[in-house]
């Protein structure tokens, strides 16, 4: 969770630098709280460009903007194809990024799948995102491109190393998914359970969106992706960080799991929606000793341990040489009454 905390505090100063950040929502869980923190981090960069195509700016940065804020908003939510006079926003976005003032820059596009739907071509949308990324990556000061999207065919293209060798991929999951894995598959999230077992179960199930949708919107689900009751605005974050390791280590990919509560990341065990799993863990830790309250004693006193160690073991060859002499083998056979053994030639009547 340290990498996630660092990028939320200051996206442009993470070491190693991550110029591409992908925030992935789904129908069962939104990632908007994380996107809001990336737009308004603890230490804001010199300039932030926010391009809204799906959600209005008020839902991402609040109802009112401070006059001297560093966030520059471009609202294209009213540009809908086949409704009025639609204008392609790609040239406006390119111009805004090219003319951005010097200094560190954060470019946020919400959302890429909406842009692809408006354009009507995934290949053209990917080519456009690649041009935007090149402009952001070529700036002298560390800059970041933040993309928000739902699962779509573009996702596999955006996560390829051909676009960016380094990447931070943030995926939002409902807490019901973690609870389901712990109860149905006995795969508890680390450190409560073994990491290898959990990821082997979690990855294929989480990639099937219908599983999470069934858990949230099914007959026994809460019916909302933003939490309910005391667990409002709680969800689980899967972070996939691809890039050079710390202290010059070779390039690796790290996958971690963390919780989100309110406006900040949190440990999984502190989420209200996963308290039942935490109570199970505590109950197992405090389980009674099965050797207690029995009618006989299963333990030995220190004197009994010493006496036991002094008992000689009944080895047959104790104190003797274990070398086996080399003797040629001989087979002795004693026939019984049922054996038909005759010294005469059994084929003498054949006149051979």
């Amino acid at each position: 969770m340290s990498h996630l905390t660092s990028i939320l505090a200051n996206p442009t100063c993470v070491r190693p630098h991550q110029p591409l950040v992908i925030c992935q929502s789904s129908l069962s869980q939104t990632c908007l709280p994380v996107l809001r923190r990336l737009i308004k981090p603890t230490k804001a960069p010199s300039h932030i460009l926010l391009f809204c195509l799906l959600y209005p700016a008020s839902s991402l940065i609040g109802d009112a903007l401070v006059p001297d804020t560093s966030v520059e908003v471009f609202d294209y939510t009213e540009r809908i194809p086949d409704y009025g006079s639609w204008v392609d926003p790609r040239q406006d976005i390119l111009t805004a990024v090219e003319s951005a003032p010097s200094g560190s820059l954060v470019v946020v596009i919400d959302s890429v799948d909406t842009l692809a739907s408006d354009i009507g071509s995934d290949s053209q949308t990917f080519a456009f995102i690649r041009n935007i990324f090149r402009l952001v990556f070529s700036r002298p000061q560390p800059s970041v491109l933040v993309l928000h999207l739902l699962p779509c065919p573009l996702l596999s293209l955006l996560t390829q190393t051909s676009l960016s060798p380094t990447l931070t991929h943030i995926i939002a999951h409902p807490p019901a998914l973690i609870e389901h894995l712990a109860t149905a598959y006995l795969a508890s999230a680390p450190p409560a359970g073994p990491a290898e077992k959990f990821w082997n179960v979690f990855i294929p199930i989480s990639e099937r969106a219908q599983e999470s949708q069934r858990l949230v919107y099914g007959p026994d689900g809460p019916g909302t992706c933003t939490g309910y009751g005391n667990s409002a605005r709680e969800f689980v974050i899967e972070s996939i960080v691809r890039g050079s390791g710390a202290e010059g280590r070779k390039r690796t990919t790290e996958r971690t799991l963390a919780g989100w509560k309110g406006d900040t990341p949190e440990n999984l065990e502190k989420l209200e929606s996963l308290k039942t799993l935490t109570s199970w863990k505590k109950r197992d830790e405090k389980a009674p000793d099965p050797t207690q309250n029995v009618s006989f004693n299963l333990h030995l006193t220190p004197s009994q341990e010493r006496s036991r160690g002094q008992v000689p073991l009944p080895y047959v060859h104790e104190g003797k040489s274990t070398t086996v002499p080399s003797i040629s083998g001989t087979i002795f056979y004693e026939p019984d009454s049922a054996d038909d053994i005759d010294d005469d030639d059994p084929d003498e009547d054949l006149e051979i």
Side-chain angles (χ1 to χ4, degrees):
M1 193 169 65
S2 58
H3 179 86
L4 180 62
T5 305
S6 301
I7 198 170
L8 292 175
N10 194 347
T12 59
C13 291
V14 178
R15 294 291 182 271
H17 181 54
Q18 299 284 329
L20 180 61
V21 178
I22 297 178
C23 294
Q24 180 181 335
S25 297
S26 65
L27 296 179
S28 57
Q29 182 58 61
T30 179
C31 198
L32 283 184
V34 180
L35 185 62
R36 294 189 188 102
R37 281 293 305 273
L38 289 171
I39 296 173
K40 301 181 69 174
T42 305
K43 185 177 180 181
S46 300
H47 205 71
I48 300 176
L49 299 179
L50 173 59
F51 301 96
C52 301
L53 292 98
L54 179 60
Y55 292 98
S58 59
S59 63
L60 298 176
I61 56 178
D63 297 330
L65 287 176
V66 181
D68 59 348
T69 183
S70 59
V71 181
E72 187 175 356
V73 178
F74 299 84
D75 194 345
Y76 302 133
T77 55
E78 295 183 357
R79 297 186 182 183
I80 304 175
D82 302 329
Y83 288 89
S85 56
W86 178 75
V87 179
D88 192 336
R90 285 179 288 179
Q91 187 57 49
D92 295 344
I93 298 175
L94 280 173
T95 302
V97 176
E98 290 174 346
S99 59
S102 59
S104 58
L105 177 68
V106 174
V107 178
V108 182
I109 300 180
D110 171 50
S111 65
V112 177
D113 55 298
T114 303
L115 179 62
S117 177
D118 293 346
I119 297 174
S121 172
D122 290 341
S123 59
Q124 294 183 21
T125 305
F126 176 71
F128 168 73
I129 294 298
R130 185 170 51 192
N131 292 335
I132 294 294
F133 177 75
R134 288 173 179 172
L135 291 175
V136 172
F137 186 73
S138 61
R139 293 177 65 89
Q141 295 78 15
S143 301
V144 178
L145 174 61
V146 180
L147 305 176
H148 179 229
L149 76 166
L150 293 170
C152 62
L154 269 173
L155 185 59
S156 60
L157 297 175
L158 296 175
T159 55
Q160 290 181 358
T161 55
S162 58
L163 177 63
S164 175
T166 58
L167 168 70
T168 297
H169 189 185
I170 301 173
I171 309 173
H173 299 286
L177 178 60
I178 305 300
E179 185 176 1
H180 173 69
L181 296 181
T183 55
Y185 297 91
L186 300 179
S188 300
E196 182 178 358
K197 176 183 178 181
F198 174 78
W199 291 117
N200 288 339
V201 177
F202 174 82
I203 293 176
I205 293 182
S206 63
E207 291 177 348
R208 298 196 296 265
Q210 65 272 16
E211 293 286 342
S212 297
Q213 295 176 23
R214 178 183 59 83
L215 294 172
V216 174
Y217 300 112
D220 300 327
T224 175
C225 66
T226 56
Y228 59 98
N230 294 331
S231 61
R233 298 190 64 187
E234 285 188 353
F235 55 95
V236 177
I237 297 177
E238 177 188 2
S239 299
I240 304 173
V241 181
R242 184 180 69 209
S244 301
E247 299 179 358
R249 291 180 297 178
K250 64 180 181 179
R251 185 168 298 159
T252 58
T253 299
E254 298 179 358
R255 188 187 299 263
T256 57
L257 209 65
W260 187 277
K261 188 173 184 178
D263 297 322
T264 58
E266 189 58 89
N267 294 326
L268 285 177
E269 58 268 19
K270 294 185 179 180
L271 298 183
E272 295 289 336
S273 53
L274 298 180
K275 268 192 171 181
T276 55
L277 302 182
T278 307
S279 64
W280 291 348
K281 180 183 177 183
K282 291 181 179 179
R283 182 177 60 191
D284 294 340
E285 291 175 350
K286 297 181 180 180
D289 187 358
T291 62
Q292 299 294 330
N293 301 324
V294 294
S295 59
F296 48 88
N297 186 15
L298 295 176
H299 302 284
L300 298 177
T301 62
S303 60
Q304 291 172 336
E305 290 282 357
R306 289 192 297 270
S307 300
R308 179 182 178 182
Q310 295 173 359
V311 175
L313 298 178
Y315 293 141
V316 176
H317 301 289
E318 183 178 3
K320 298 181 180 181
S321 174
T322 58
T323 304
V324 179
S326 177
I327 302 176
S328 59
T330 304
I331 298 176
F332 297 96
Y333 177 69
E334 176 110 5
D336 55 21
S337 59
D339 290 339
D340 184 12
I341 298 180
D342 193 349
D343 293 335
D344 297 335
D345 186 2
D347 299 327
E348 62 182 356
D349 59 336
L350 298 179
E351 297 181 356
I352 297 176

